[in-house]
């Protein structure tokens, strides 16, 4: 089975250090904060090695964080903010929780498939990727020990935050330039390549901008790295302060060309600082539908009564040949407002990741 690090109005991102790809490190978890994040591959192979990472509230890798896995294994992140572990021997959902907190993530452990393609290959990587987001590579033949995968963009090494035999998650590329880049994954003598266009999303409102009640503000969103029109998704993070024209999210298409931008308008509901999140809108082809269904089926078993029927409706939609990933994502956001256990909420977030394709 299968959380996107999007662009907030503050436009903060992980700061990486040069070619080594090692991010600044925060240490310890004496006060595990609710803003820490566990980075897990969406898919594991039962009984095979894998790597996870923990980021702090500033997006830096966090060393010395202890996690307990639903398999019973306890792991601690090293100086790189990562921890190695073995997937459970049996297929199914595995949870990882930061000790001393309720922060948890879910991952889908798949059975070993002897008929799966052998060798190192990339099967899926977004052709368009934001420098502010993590890049997810799916394929086969990857190493569960993240450091045994040599990943580079235009010859520069990139930090692999999390990995499994089927998936690699790369750290955001803050020190890279927007534009087309050659992506290479290598292991000893084996190597496989693809191409990706890296884009940077820049907002004309780059800080905690204040808005007055009843006043309107226009924000210019510019995309650098491609002259092609780009679909953007804007999510309102302060609905008590500002309102969008229709609901708390909107989708816009940039103009294309040398001035590749789009304008969004917001209106103040009350006086205060507002923020929002901007990300590339993922196409349905980026989504991992089988994993999304696995997570939802696991969530259905522990869903509160008011959410069960809605999950069943989404599952029916995702089983249809004309599955609407955007509608499913929107419905999931509504369901996440329901009560439910921490595991239930973790499964909803994991489903969202799978539908986002990241």
């Amino acid at each position: 089975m299968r959380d996107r690090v999007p662009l907030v109005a503050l436009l903060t991102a992980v700061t990486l250090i040069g070619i080594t790809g090692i991010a600044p490190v925060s240490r310890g978890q004496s006060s595990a904060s609710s803003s820490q994040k566990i980075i897990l591959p969406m898919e594991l192979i039962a009984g095979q090695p894998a790597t996870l990472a923990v980021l702090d509230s500033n997006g830096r890798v966090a060393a010395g964080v202890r996690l307990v896995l639903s398999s019973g294994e306890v792991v601690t992140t090293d100086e790189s903010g990562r921890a190695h572990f073995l997937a459970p021997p049996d297929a199914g959902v595995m949870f990882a929780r930061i000790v001393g907190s309720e922060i948890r993530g879910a991952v889908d452990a798949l059975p070993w498939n002897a008929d799966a393609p052998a060798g190192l290959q990339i099967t899926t990587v977004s052709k368009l990727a934001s420098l502010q987001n993590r890049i997810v590579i799916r394929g086969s033949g990857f190493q569960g020990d993240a450091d045994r995968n040599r990943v580079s963009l235009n010859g520069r090494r990139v930090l692999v935050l999390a990995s499994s035999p089927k998936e690699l998650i790369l750290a955001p590329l803050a020190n890279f330039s927007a534009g087309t880049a050659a992506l290479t994954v290598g292991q000893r003598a084996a190597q496989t390549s693809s191409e990706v266009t890296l884009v940077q999303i820049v907002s004309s409102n780059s800080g905690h901008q204040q808005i007055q009640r009843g006043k309107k503000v226009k924000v210019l969103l510019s995309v650098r790295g491609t002259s092609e029109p780009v679909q953007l998704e804007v999510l309102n993070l302060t609905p008590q302060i500002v309102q969008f024209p229709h609901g708390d999210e909107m989708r816009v298409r940039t103009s294309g060309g040398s001035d590749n931008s789009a304008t969004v308008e917001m209106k103040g509901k009350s006086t205060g600082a507002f923020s929002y999140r901007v990300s590339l809108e993922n196409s349905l082809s980026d989504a991992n539908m089988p994993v999304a269904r696995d997570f939802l089926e696991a969530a259905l078993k522990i869903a509160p009564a008011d959410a069960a029927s809605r999950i069943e409706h989404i599952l029916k939609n995702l089983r249809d040949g004309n599955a609407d990933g955007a509608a499913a994502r929107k419905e999931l956001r509504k369901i996440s407002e329901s009560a439910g256990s921490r595991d239930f909420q973790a499964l909803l977030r994991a489903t969202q990741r799978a539908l986002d394709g990241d």
Side-chain angles (χ1 to χ4, degrees):
M1 280 188 264
R2 303 269 196 196
D3 213 288
R4 162 165 58 182
V5 174
L7 175 73
V8 187
L10 295 177
L11 298 173
T12 57
V14 175
T15 303
L16 302 180
I17 299 178
I19 297 176
T20 64
I22 300 299
V25 179
S26 64
R27 306 186 193 289
Q29 62 174 77
S30 54
S31 56
S33 126
S34 60
S35 53
Q36 285 181 317
K37 186 184 298 293
I38 304 171
I39 307 300
L40 280 162
M42 281 187 279
E43 295 178 305
L44 309 176
I45 299 298
Q48 296 299 302
T51 304
L52 59 78
V54 176
L55 305 182
D56 69 9
S57 58
N58 296 312
R60 300 176 301 180
V61 293
V65 178
R66 295 176 64 238
L67 302 97
V68 59
L69 311 182
S70 53
S71 62
E73 185 178 0
V74 177
V75 298
T76 303
T77 58
D78 60 19
E79 288 296 304
S80 72
R82 297 170 297 176
H84 306 294
F85 64 97
L86 278 179
D90 300 316
V93 176
M94 186 198 84
F95 293 94
R97 178 178 59 84
I98 295 178
V99 174
S101 80
E102 290 300 329
I103 303 168
R104 66 191 67 202
V107 61
D108 193 14
L110 306 177
W112 174 262
N113 181 2
D115 297 324
L120 180 65
Q121 62 176 310
I122 296 172
T123 57
T124 308
V125 62
S126 293
K127 296 302 180 185
L128 203 64
S130 169
L131 291 171
Q132 287 93 355
N133 290 15
R134 294 183 293 272
I135 296 177
V136 177
I137 306 170
R138 294 200 290 270
S140 62
F142 302 142
Q143 296 292 321
D145 181 340
D147 284 333
R148 295 179 65 187
N149 302 283
R150 300 190 310 275
V151 182
S152 63
L153 281 163
N154 287 341
R156 292 178 59 192
R157 290 287 295 273
V158 180
L159 175 67
V160 180
L161 283 175
S163 64
S164 77
K166 292 177 64 66
E167 187 176 332
L168 304 176
I169 302 179
L170 310 184
L173 309 170
N175 283 358
F176 282 73
S177 300
T180 303
L183 171 67
T184 302
V185 179
Q187 297 167 6
R188 299 181 181 176
Q191 182 172 295
T192 184
S193 301
S194 186
E195 188 176 83
V196 61
T197 297
L198 305 174
V199 300
Q200 182 177 22
I201 308 170
V202 180
S203 171
S204 60
N205 143 255
S206 57
H208 277 302
Q209 183 168 324
Q210 294 279 327
I211 194 169
Q212 302 294 317
R213 183 183 180 201
K215 299 293 184 180
K216 293 182 179 180
V217 63
K218 291 184 177 181
V219 175
L220 182 70
L221 303 174
S222 300
V223 174
R224 300 171 183 170
T226 180
S227 59
E228 295 297 317
V230 172
Q231 290 287 138
L232 300 176
E233 184 178 79
V234 188
L235 182 65
N236 187 359
L237 299 180
T238 50
Q240 73 281 10
I241 301 294
V242 70
Q243 65 183 34
F244 290 177
H246 305 287
D248 288 328
E249 59 184 273
M250 58 178 138
R251 292 170 175 82
V252 296
R253 185 175 177 85
T254 61
S255 60
S258 57
D259 179 24
N260 197 358
S261 62
T263 301
V264 297
E265 187 174 87
M266 310 169 193
K267 183 178 180 180
K269 291 175 65 176
S270 59
T271 299
F274 66 95
S275 62
Y276 51 90
R277 189 172 71 191
V278 184
S279 56
L280 296 172
E281 183 179 52
N282 293 293
S283 66
L284 193 58
S285 61
D286 292 326
N288 191 324
M289 291 297 181
V291 169
R293 291 194 293 267
D294 285 349
F295 281 130
L296 274 181
E297 287 167 355
L300 182 59
K301 297 176 182 177
I302 57 174
D306 62 339
S309 62
R310 300 169 82 171
I311 291 176
E312 288 175 336
H313 177 74
I314 297 176
L315 278 168
K316 182 178 183 303
N317 172 27
L318 295 183
R319 291 189 187 106
D320 292 341
N322 58 344
D324 187 342
R329 289 194 294 265
K330 187 174 182 179
E331 188 68 15
L332 272 174
R333 291 194 184 101
K334 295 178 181 177
I335 297 174
S336 66
E337 298 169 3
S338 306
S341 68
R342 300 286 186 175
D343 285 350
F344 175 69
Q345 292 294 330
L347 287 166
L348 293 186
R349 289 193 297 273
T351 305
Q352 189 80 52
R353 283 185 60 208
L355 292 175
D356 287 341
D358 95 320

